């Protein structure tokens, strides 16, 4: 059953990047757009979880602090990925995102949870780390060569995605094995409640940032600060149809991310992070490469093929029995 849950999580985590790429292609650049994106994602995610969960949300100080860390890490990852997608392919950005969600939990599991480490896993982690390098030398999504400045920006944004998503996975694992975690009457960890709590904390933080940006815009003489911060976000002239489209894209991402997190967290209760996260990362990286080719005509070039090959080799090394 764990592997079935893991495959379901992989599917939804892969599809979410399609929504995110479509959002990026239709909006301006800038940090404010990322916060707008996250604000609405967590509104939709919160509504979805409230409608689908039949367990009242409980919390403790430990789980609340973990949710704050989860929110900061998630915003860092989302900011990095939206910016990075302007300089690289969806599949390449996903590689950094998902490998961060695999490598950091692996290190965490080995160092702090005393999970088993073998020679094959060490070799696998080295190969998977190396699989990120080819994408740094590929052309940008338009097919043009990147300038030196663009390469530096792309690397910085990819590392933000890597570290942010890696810490999301570490915090998720820490919550699942914490003695102070939210628990159902039967004693099991309430994964739905933790995902809902994370969404609410992220929503509050994103709203606070939007509010500060609105106040700053008003202070700088903007006569329509709310419209400037909240509505005028499209790459082209904003019209109601485009605004609805952007809301729909964030809603799609929110549902996919919520479902993926719920199934991933359920796997984390019984599956070693040194097994779960490498498998999750490898499958999603492969699927997003296929989706990028199908939906955005992103050619799987030599660098992508090399990266994908190294990823599959790395995952295979993890699967070798001791």
């Amino acid at each position: 059953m764990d592997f079935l849950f893991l495959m379901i999580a992989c599917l939804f985590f892969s599809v979410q990047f399609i929504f995110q790429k479509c959002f990026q292609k239709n909006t301006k650049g800038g940090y404010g757009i990322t916060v707008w994106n996250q604000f609405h994602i967590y509104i939709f995610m919160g509504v979805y979880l409230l409608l689908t969960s039949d367990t009242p949300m409980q919390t403790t100080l430990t789980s609340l602090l973990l949710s704050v860390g989860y929110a900061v890490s998630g915003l860092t990852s989302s900011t990095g990925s939206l910016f990075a997608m302007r300089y690289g392919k969806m599949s390449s950005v996903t590689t950094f995102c998902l490998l961060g969600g695999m490598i950091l939990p692996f290190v965490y599991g080995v160092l702090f949870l005393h999970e088993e480490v073998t020679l094959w896993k060490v070799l696998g982690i080295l190969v998977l780390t190396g699989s990120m390098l080819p994408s740094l030398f590929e052309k940008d999504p338009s097919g043009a060569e990147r300038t030196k400045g663009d390469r530096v920006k792309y690397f910085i944004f990819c590392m933000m995605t890597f570290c942010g998503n890696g810490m999301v996975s570490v915090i998720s694992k820490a919550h699942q094995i914490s003695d102070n975690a939210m628990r159902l009457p039967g004693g099991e960890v309430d994964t739905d409640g933790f995902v809902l709590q994370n969404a609410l904390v992220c929503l509050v933080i994103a709203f606070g940032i939007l509010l500060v940006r609105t106040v700053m815009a008003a202070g700088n003489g903007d006569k329509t600060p709310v419209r400037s911060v909240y509505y005028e976000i499209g790459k082209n002239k904003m019209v109601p149809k485009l605004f609805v489209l952007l809301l729909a894209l964030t809603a799609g991402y929110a549902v996919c991310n919520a479902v993926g997190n719920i199934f991933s967290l359920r796997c984390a209760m019984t599956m070693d992070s040194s097994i779960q996260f490498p498998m999750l990362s490898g499958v999603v990286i492969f699927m997003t490469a296929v989706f990028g080719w199908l939906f955005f005509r992103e050619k799987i070039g030599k660098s992508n093929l090399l990266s994908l090959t190294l990823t599959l080799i790395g995952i295979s090394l993890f699967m070798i029995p001791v």
Side-chain angles (χ1 to χ4, degrees):
M1 187 62 71
D2 285 343
F3 284 97
L4 175 60
F5 287 164
L6 188 62
M7 291 303 103
I8 294 174
C10 288
L11 174 62
F12 281 93
F13 279 141
S14 300
V15 173
Q16 74 176 7
F17 288 104
I18 298 176
F19 289 106
Q20 197 76 325
K21 180 66 175 182
C22 289
F23 179 87
Q24 178 267 319
K25 289 173 68 69
N26 286 280
T27 55
K28 302 175 182 177
Y31 180 68
I33 305 302
T34 303
V35 176
W36 186 100
N37 175 257
Q38 294 300 294
F39 175 67
H40 290 88
I41 281 175
Y42 290 114
I43 287 178
F44 290 121
M45 188 181 296
V47 171
Y48 171 79
L49 292 170
L50 287 171
L51 292 176
T52 57
S53 177
D54 56 0
T55 304
M57 189 184 77
Q58 305 175 55
T59 188
T60 66
L61 178 59
T62 299
S63 64
L64 185 60
L65 291 175
L66 288 173
S67 288
V68 173
Y70 186 103
V72 173
S73 300
L75 286 170
T76 300
S77 177
S78 297
T79 300
S81 64
L82 281 174
F83 276 84
M85 283 183 186
R86 298 185 180 276
Y87 299 96
K89 297 176 182 177
M90 182 181 75
S91 59
S92 300
V93 176
T94 303
T95 298
F96 278 87
C97 181
L98 272 297
L99 289 184
M102 180 276 295
I103 293 173
L104 295 189
F106 172 83
V107 175
Y108 169 73
V110 171
L111 294 181
F112 298 100
L113 305 181
H114 307 293
E115 293 180 353
E116 182 183 13
V117 58
T118 66
L119 175 61
W120 295 117
K121 289 181 180 180
V122 173
L123 291 175
I125 210 77
L126 291 175
V127 172
L128 288 169
T129 301
S131 70
M132 294 185 289
L133 299 178
S135 65
L136 296 176
F137 301 98
E138 67 182 10
K139 296 180 180 180
D140 68 20
S142 67
E145 292 288 343
R146 294 196 194 109
T147 63
K148 183 177 180 179
D150 285 346
R151 288 185 186 277
V152 172
K153 292 177 183 177
Y154 179 64
F155 176 75
I156 292 174
F157 294 139
C158 283
M159 291 310 298
M160 286 176 61
T161 306
F162 176 90
C163 294
N165 195 55
M167 287 308 301
V168 164
S169 297
V170 168
I171 291 169
S172 297
K173 184 67 178 182
H175 176 269
Q176 294 306 93
I177 52 89
S178 172
D179 290 335
N180 297 315
M182 295 179 290
R183 298 181 181 275
L184 293 170
E188 296 180 354
V189 176
D190 180 10
T191 55
D192 296 36
F194 184 58
V195 175
L196 174 58
Q197 179 176 267
N198 292 337
L200 295 178
V201 171
C202 291
L203 177 61
V204 170
I205 292 176
F207 175 77
I209 296 174
L210 285 176
L211 184 61
V212 170
R213 287 179 56 82
T214 302
V215 172
M216 291 178 62
N220 291 331
D222 192 332
K223 295 183 179 179
T224 58
V226 175
R227 181 182 178 88
S228 299
V229 172
Y230 183 75
Y231 188 75
E232 297 292 346
I233 64 169
K235 182 176 292 185
N236 300 316
K237 183 179 180 180
M238 181 57 74
V239 294
K241 184 178 180 180
L242 177 57
F243 188 79
V244 172
L245 172 63
L246 296 177
L247 287 177
L249 292 173
T250 58
Y253 178 95
V255 173
C256 288
N257 187 267
V259 176
N261 270 304
I262 288 172
F263 280 98
S264 180
L265 284 169
R266 285 174 179 167
C267 290
M269 288 189 286
T270 55
M271 184 180 290
D272 282 356
S273 59
S274 56
I275 294 294
Q276 176 190 354
F277 293 108
M279 287 190 63
L280 179 69
S281 301
V283 174
V284 174
I285 288 170
F286 177 80
M287 293 179 69
T288 51
V290 174
F291 289 159
W293 173 67
L294 287 174
F295 295 101
F296 304 107
R297 299 181 180 178
E298 293 183 349
K299 295 182 179 179
I300 302 179
K302 293 181 180 179
S303 59
N304 295 111
L305 188 59
L306 177 58
S307 178
L308 187 58
T309 301
L310 290 173
T311 298
L312 294 177
I313 292 174
I315 293 299
S316 299
L317 290 172
F318 266 86
M319 298 300 103
I320 295 178
V322 180

